[in-house]
């Protein structure tokens, strides 16, 4: 202890400690403002290279991903021209009303093209087209389709553009809109006709209905015959009726003669037979019937053609041939009758001849009645058909006139609107993208990734719960505590400076033994205790270094044997100081605060400086007992210690002297001068102590 008197006698090293505090308060300067750049540089100490490499790597990956994920935008365009009203085709006029509203018409068409009705139909057509194509592209939803379209009015033009990441979709967007617009325009064109055209169309439908009704009535009346066929059939029946009347008249005359003579005739029997044979001859009757038909045809043709017409000449020739055949047949029958070939040939009597003639008279009368009824019916139908045909002809004429007027109105209906629509471009397939922002997005992603990497590192260091530099520890400690910093292998100069700081402490015992406890907050922390004890011994202080914590096995008696069992343990003499190991005692009882106080009181009588290594507070019992009996408590902290452990230790310790060991070269409180390497201390408790 006499060596304490040999300390340098300077103004800065001696004096009342209370006066030192007054001096520090008087000499205290204003706190310098915080420099944000300095703060950032402090946070990134030792991490610049790693952070830069990580930021570049992440930025390249993000840039490549953004370049690959970003697709260029293709644009397809369409163009619709609104043509002004053309001149009249059939009728010219000086009406320029529609020309004055032409601009408003173009604006209305542009608005209609962007209406909900057109867009919905266009989207339906687009979805149907894409599904039929069976392409890998999926049909867009309605909102994406609407947002991709742009419609602009350019004087007499309407420009349409569609943007998409796929060229095919951009083209189909324009095609879908134009297809929907054109189809709806065509559907609504009928509603844009004038009132006159609509009225004429209604009139045409009404006349057509009447015409069809008359045709149905004519079909019901005439069935398969028309007016001309019925007239021909009626004329034929009348001619047959006239011929039949002649026969009935001749037969009636014959019957009257026979009945008046009582069944006998004044005339020659042969003549009667000839008449009878002539009336009963089938061939004669057929030729007469055929002549009547030809005569009816000739009468009808004379109404339509001139007498010199070939058809009339042909019928006259055929009538002459039939007349000649009838005359020849009559002469044949007369010749046969005069020759006696028919008289008595079949054994008929006069009574039989009279009965046959009566039967023939009845047959001809019935036939005449049937022909009369049929002719009357045909004549009635003919009258009705002629009347209905005349009315139908009037309706047909009215219908033709109405249609002619309607055709004229429809022909000029294109001028009912101020203009007509002409699609000039229906959308092309874009080959070059209109907007390609892949490089911009890649660069943006690269910069964003770099900034994010630096920001994450900044946040990790700023909010990290681990101490890395001495100033990190300084922010945790109270402002009244000064921190001492040592590298992993401190020089004797730094150890001597640390010992001087302990001696200048207000808790250093002047004239008595100073008890200093040393704790470390991590088992990886190296403390140069042997160098400190050796330096204290070289300065004339009798020093004892005690290992009060057990981490490894010890084979010799030591601290535990002395404090628990009361054994008299002598320290081992080292280079300039005494050393006492932990010992071999495993008795848990006996290590109390009173025993430790008694032991320290007994030992302190023989030493000027007692250094006790108490171990780790979280594990060793000595670290919770010895600091309460010490004058100075050294808390050794190394990079990597959790701040929660430091704060917890600070709340329990008094007379604290922080020591930051294992500091790296760029630690702010580490001197830059070259130091002489000190002896490296191990992790074992005996060596660390």
């Amino acid at each position: 202890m006499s060596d304490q008197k040999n300390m340098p006698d300077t103004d800065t090293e001696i004096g009342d400690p209370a006066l030192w505090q007054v001096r520090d308060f008087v000499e205290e300067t204003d706190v310098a403002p915080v420099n944000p750049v300095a703060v950032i540089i402090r946070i990134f100490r030792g991490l610049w290279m790693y952070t830069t490499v990580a930021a570049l790597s992440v930025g390249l990956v993000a840039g490549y991903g953004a370049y690959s994920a970003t697709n260029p935008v293709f644009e397809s365009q369409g163009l619709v021209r609104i043509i002004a009203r053309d001149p009249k085709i059939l009728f010219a006029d000086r009406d320029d009303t529609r020309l004055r509203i032409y601009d408003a018409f173009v604006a209305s068409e542009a608005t209609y093209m962007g209406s909900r009705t057109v867009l919905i139909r266009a989207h339906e057509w687009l979805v149907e087209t894409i599904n039929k194509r069976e392409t890998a592209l999926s049909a867009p939803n309605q909102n994406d389709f609407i947002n991709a379209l742009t419609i602009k009015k350019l004087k007499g033009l309407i420009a349409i553009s569609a943007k998409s990441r796929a060229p095919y979709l951009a083209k189909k967007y324009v095609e879908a809109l134009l297809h929907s617009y054109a189809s709806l325009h065509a559907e609504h064109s009928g509603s844009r006709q004038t009132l006159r055209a609509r009225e004429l169309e209604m009139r045409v439908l009404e006349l057509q209905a009447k015409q069809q009704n008359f045709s149905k009535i004519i079909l019901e009346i005439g069935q398969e015959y028309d007016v001309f066929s019925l007239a021909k059939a009626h004329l034929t029946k009348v001619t047959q009726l006239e011929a039949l009347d002649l026969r009935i008249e001749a037969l009636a005359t014959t019957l009257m003669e026979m009945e008046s003579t009582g069944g006998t005739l004044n005339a020659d029997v042969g003549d009667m037979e000839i008449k009878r044979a002539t009336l009963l001859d089938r061939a004669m009757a057929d030729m007469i019937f055929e002549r009547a038909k030809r005569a009816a045809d000739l009468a009808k043709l004379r109404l339509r053609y001139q007498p010199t017409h070939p058809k009339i000449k042909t019928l006259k020739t055929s009538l002459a041939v039939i007349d000649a055949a009838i005359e020849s047949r009559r002469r044949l029958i007369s010749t046969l009758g005069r020759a006696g070939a028919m008289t008595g040939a079949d054994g008929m009597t006069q009574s039989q001849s009279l009965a046959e003639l009566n039967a023939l008279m009845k047959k001809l009368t019935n036939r005449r009645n049937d022909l009369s009824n049929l002719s009357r019916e045909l004549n009635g139908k003919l009258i009705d058909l002629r009347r209905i045909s005349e009315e139908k002809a009037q309706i047909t004429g009215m219908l033709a006139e109405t249609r002619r007027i309607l055709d004229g109105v429809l022909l000029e209906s294109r001028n009912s609107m101020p203009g007509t629509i002409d699609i000039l471009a229906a959308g092309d397939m874009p080959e070059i993208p209109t907007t390609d922002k892949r490089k911009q997005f890649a660069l943006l992603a690269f910069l964003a990734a770099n900034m994010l990497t630096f920001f994450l590192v900044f946040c990790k260091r700023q909010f990290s719960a681990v101490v890395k530099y001495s100033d990190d520890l300084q922010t945790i400690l109270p402002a009244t505590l000064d921190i001492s910093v040592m590298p992993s292998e401190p020089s004797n100069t730094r150890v001597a400076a640390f010992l001087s700081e302990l001696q200048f402490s207000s808790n250093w015992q002047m004239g008595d033994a100073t008890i200093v406890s040393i704790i470390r907050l991590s088992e990886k922390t190296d403390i140069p205790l042997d160098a400190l004890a050796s330096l204290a011994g070289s300065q004339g202080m009798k020093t004892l270094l005690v290992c009060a914590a057990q981490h490894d096995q010890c084979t010799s008696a030591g601290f535990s044997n002395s404090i628990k069992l009361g054994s008299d343990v002598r320290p081992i003499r080292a280079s300039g100081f005494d050393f006492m190991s932990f010992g071999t005692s495993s008795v848990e009882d006996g290590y109390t605060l009173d025993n430790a106080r008694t032991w320290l009181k007994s030992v302190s009588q023989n030493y000027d400086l007692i250094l006790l290594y108490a171990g780790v507070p979280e594990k060793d019992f000595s670290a919770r007992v010895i600091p309460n009996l010490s004058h100075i408590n050294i808390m050794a902290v190394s990079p990597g210690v959790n701040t929660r452990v430091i704060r917890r230790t600070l709340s329990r310790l008094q007379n604290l002297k922080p020591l930051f060991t294992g500091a790296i070269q760029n630690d702010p409180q580490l001197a830059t001068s070259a130091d002489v390497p000190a002896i490296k201390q191990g992790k074992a408790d005996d060596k660390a102590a």
Side-chain angles (χ1 to χ4, degrees):
M1 290 190 296
S2 60
D3 294 339
Q4 299 292 332
K5 301 178 181 180
N6 297 329
M7 295 174 63
D9 188 11
T10 62
D11 294 338
T12 59
E13 296 176 349
I14 61 176
D16 190 356
L19 296 179
W20 295 350
Q21 295 180 0
V22 174
R23 182 197 60 188
D24 294 339
F25 177 76
V26 173
E27 295 179 355
E28 183 178 359
T29 59
D30 295 336
V31 179
V34 178
N35 187 356
V37 178
V39 174
I40 295 176
I41 294 175
R42 182 181 65 82
I43 291 177
F44 283 98
R45 284 172 308 195
L47 299 175
W48 287 109
M49 180 178 295
Y50 302 104
T51 306
T52 303
V53 172
L56 290 176
S57 302
V58 175
L60 290 176
V61 174
Y64 178 77
Y67 187 88
S68 302
T70 304
N71 295 324
V73 178
F74 295 87
E75 182 178 8
S76 180
Q77 296 182 348
L79 196 62
V80 177
R81 180 176 62 180
I82 307 299
I83 305 174
R85 182 178 66 92
D86 293 336
K88 291 283 188 177
I89 297 177
L90 295 179
F91 305 97
D93 58 9
R94 298 180 180 274
D95 184 15
D96 60 348
T97 304
R98 291 184 291 271
L99 289 177
R100 290 197 299 269
I101 63 173
Y102 172 74
D103 292 337
F105 174 73
V106 176
S108 66
E109 289 299 313
T111 304
Y112 176 71
M113 187 177 293
S115 64
R116 192 75 177 173
T117 304
V118 178
L119 294 176
I120 291 176
R121 164 113 29 127
H123 180 260
E124 294 175 354
W125 183 86
L126 177 65
V127 172
E128 182 180 358
T129 303
I130 293 178
N131 292 337
K132 286 182 179 180
R133 190 172 182 264
E134 297 181 355
T135 179
L137 297 174
S138 59
N141 56 44
Q142 194 174 101
N143 291 333
D144 293 341
F145 170 71
I146 295 175
N147 294 332
L149 293 172
T150 303
I151 302 173
K152 294 181 180 179
K153 172 182 170 294
L154 305 173
K155 196 60 177 175
L157 301 174
I158 300 177
I160 306 165
S161 62
K163 294 182 179 180
S164 176
R165 301 185 186 278
Y168 175 77
L169 285 181
K171 179 177 181 295
K172 286 301 177 181
Y173 284 175
V174 177
E175 289 183 356
L177 182 62
L178 292 178
H179 178 271
S180 173
Y181 172 70
S183 60
L184 287 174
H185 198 277
E187 292 176 5
H188 297 163
S189 61
S191 62
R192 295 177 178 176
Q193 294 178 2
T194 61
L195 177 63
R196 184 183 180 189
R198 290 196 295 270
E199 292 295 334
L200 289 174
E201 287 179 350
M202 295 298 296
R203 180 62 176 170
V204 167
L205 294 177
E206 181 182 352
L207 293 177
Q208 286 179 346
K210 289 183 178 181
Q211 188 182 40
Q212 292 176 359
N213 187 33
F214 283 135
S215 299
K216 187 183 297 184
I217 294 174
I218 291 174
L219 184 62
E220 291 176 356
I221 294 176
Q223 294 181 357
E224 68 271 19
Y225 300 104
D226 57 358
V227 177
F228 298 104
S229 299
L230 283 176
K232 182 179 179 180
H234 179 261
L235 183 60
T236 301
K237 298 302 179 182
V238 170
T239 304
Q240 292 178 358
L241 189 60
E242 291 177 353
L244 192 58
D245 287 340
L246 293 175
R247 293 186 62 187
I248 291 174
E249 184 179 357
L251 183 59
T253 303
T254 303
L255 288 175
M256 289 177 61
E257 291 179 357
M258 292 181 66
E259 289 177 356
S260 61
T261 57
T264 60
L265 296 174
N266 295 328
D268 186 62
V269 176
D271 293 337
M272 292 298 299
E273 290 297 330
I274 291 172
K275 291 181 179 181
R276 175 177 174 276
T278 301
L279 293 174
L280 296 177
D281 185 59
R282 182 65 181 174
M284 181 66 72
D286 291 340
M287 286 188 291
I288 292 173
F289 177 74
E290 185 64 25
R291 186 185 185 286
K293 288 175 59 179
R294 298 294 177 89
D297 292 339
L298 180 61
K300 184 176 66 175
L301 290 176
R302 283 176 176 174
L303 298 175
R304 300 175 60 185
Y305 302 105
Q306 295 293 330
T308 58
H309 196 274
K311 289 185 177 181
I312 294 179
K313 291 181 178 181
T314 303
L315 281 178
K316 286 182 177 180
T317 304
S318 62
L319 284 176
V321 172
I322 292 174
D323 290 339
I326 291 174
E327 184 62 27
S328 176
R329 182 68 179 175
R330 184 180 291 110
R331 287 197 301 268
L332 178 61
I333 293 173
S334 177
T335 302
L336 291 175
R338 290 189 180 93
M342 293 182 296
T343 57
D346 50 358
M348 291 187 301
T349 61
Q350 292 182 355
S351 60
Q352 289 178 343
S353 297
L354 183 62
E356 289 178 357
L357 291 177
N358 288 326
L360 180 60
M361 183 66 179
K362 184 178 180 180
K363 181 179 179 181
L364 292 177
T365 302
N366 293 335
R367 185 177 179 185
R368 198 266 178 198
N369 293 332
D370 294 339
L371 285 176
S372 177
N373 294 332
L374 184 58
S375 297
R376 190 180 298 108
E377 181 180 358
L378 290 177
N379 190 29
K381 289 183 177 182
L382 185 60
I383 293 172
D384 293 338
L385 286 180
R386 285 175 178 173
R387 176 180 58 79
I388 296 173
S389 296
E390 290 178 357
E391 294 180 359
K392 182 180 178 182
Q394 293 178 358
I395 295 297
T396 302
M398 295 170 61
L399 179 61
E401 181 66 17
T402 305
R403 282 179 173 174
R404 186 187 68 79
I405 299 173
L406 178 61
D407 289 341
V409 173
L410 293 178
L411 186 63
E412 304 296 344
S413 63
R414 59 178 184 148
N415 286 320
S416 62
M417 301 298 292
T420 57
I421 297 171
D422 185 15
I423 298 177
L424 299 180
D428 54 346
M429 180 71 75
E431 298 179 357
I432 301 175
T434 56
T435 304
D436 190 356
K437 295 184 178 180
R438 289 179 292 181
K439 295 181 181 179
Q440 293 88 328
F441 278 109
L443 179 59
L444 183 62
F446 177 78
L447 296 177
N450 287 341
M451 296 177 63
L452 180 62
T453 303
F454 275 92
F455 177 74
L456 292 177
V457 174
F458 175 84
C459 293
K460 182 179 180 182
R461 285 289 297 118
Q462 182 68 15
F463 304 104
S464 176
V466 176
V467 173
K468 186 175 182 182
Y469 293 93
S470 59
D471 53 357
D472 296 336
L473 178 61
Q474 189 69 50
T475 58
I476 302 174
L477 298 175
T480 57
L481 293 180
D482 293 331
I483 186 173
S484 299
V485 181
M486 290 186 184
S488 298
E489 297 179 356
S491 63
N492 292 332
T493 304
R494 289 193 175 277
V495 176
F498 179 67
L499 181 59
S500 299
E501 292 178 3
L502 294 178
Q503 292 174 347
F504 285 122
S505 173
S506 61
N507 296 317
W508 186 271
Q509 302 299 309
M510 305 297 292
D512 294 330
T514 302
I515 302 174
V516 180
S517 67
I518 301 95
I519 63 172
R520 58 178 179 174
L521 304 184
S522 174
E523 295 181 356
K524 298 179 181 180
T525 303
D526 292 335
I527 309 173
L529 293 181
D530 53 351
L532 183 62
S534 178
L535 183 60
S538 65
Q539 292 182 2
M541 290 182 290
K542 192 174 181 180
T543 305
L544 173 64
L545 178 60
V546 180
C547 179
Q550 180 185 9
H551 288 178
D552 297 329
Q553 295 293 331
C554 187
T555 58
S556 60
F559 171 77
S560 61
N561 303 89
S562 177
I563 196 172
K564 292 182 180 182
L565 303 177
S567 303
D568 185 10
V569 179
R570 293 184 179 275
I572 302 173
R573 185 62 182 175
S575 57
F577 64 94
D578 293 340
F579 173 73
M580 180 182 292
S581 64
F582 179 76
T584 60
S585 175
S586 59
V587 180
E588 297 180 358
D589 298 334
Y591 191 178
T592 63
L593 183 62
D594 294 336
N595 290 344
R597 183 182 293 110
T598 302
W599 184 86
L600 286 175
K601 185 176 181 181
S602 174
V603 173
S604 61
Q605 296 177 0
N606 302 322
Y607 294 96
D608 299 325
L609 178 62
I610 301 175
L611 301 175
L612 293 99
Y613 170 69
V616 181
E618 304 294 331
K619 298 179 58 178
D620 298 309
F621 181 73
S622 295
R624 295 189 289 272
V625 175
I626 299 300
N628 297 321
L629 304 175
S630 303
H631 300 113
I632 300 175
N633 296 312
I634 299 176
M635 181 181 67
V637 181
S638 61
V641 176
N642 196 291
T643 57
R644 292 192 298 271
V645 178
I646 298 175
R647 289 189 175 91
R648 192 161 51 246
T649 305
L650 288 174
S651 64
R652 295 197 301 260
L653 293 182
Q654 296 179 356
N655 304 328
L656 184 66
K657 176 58 179 178
L659 174 62
F660 189 80
T661 64
I664 58 178
Q665 278 187 343
N666 58 351
D667 193 281
Q669 298 189 28
L670 190 63
T672 58
S673 60
D675 297 330
V676 180
I679 301 174
K680 181 176 176 62
Q681 305 301 322
K683 296 182 181 180
D685 293 329
D686 294 341
K687 294 182 180 181

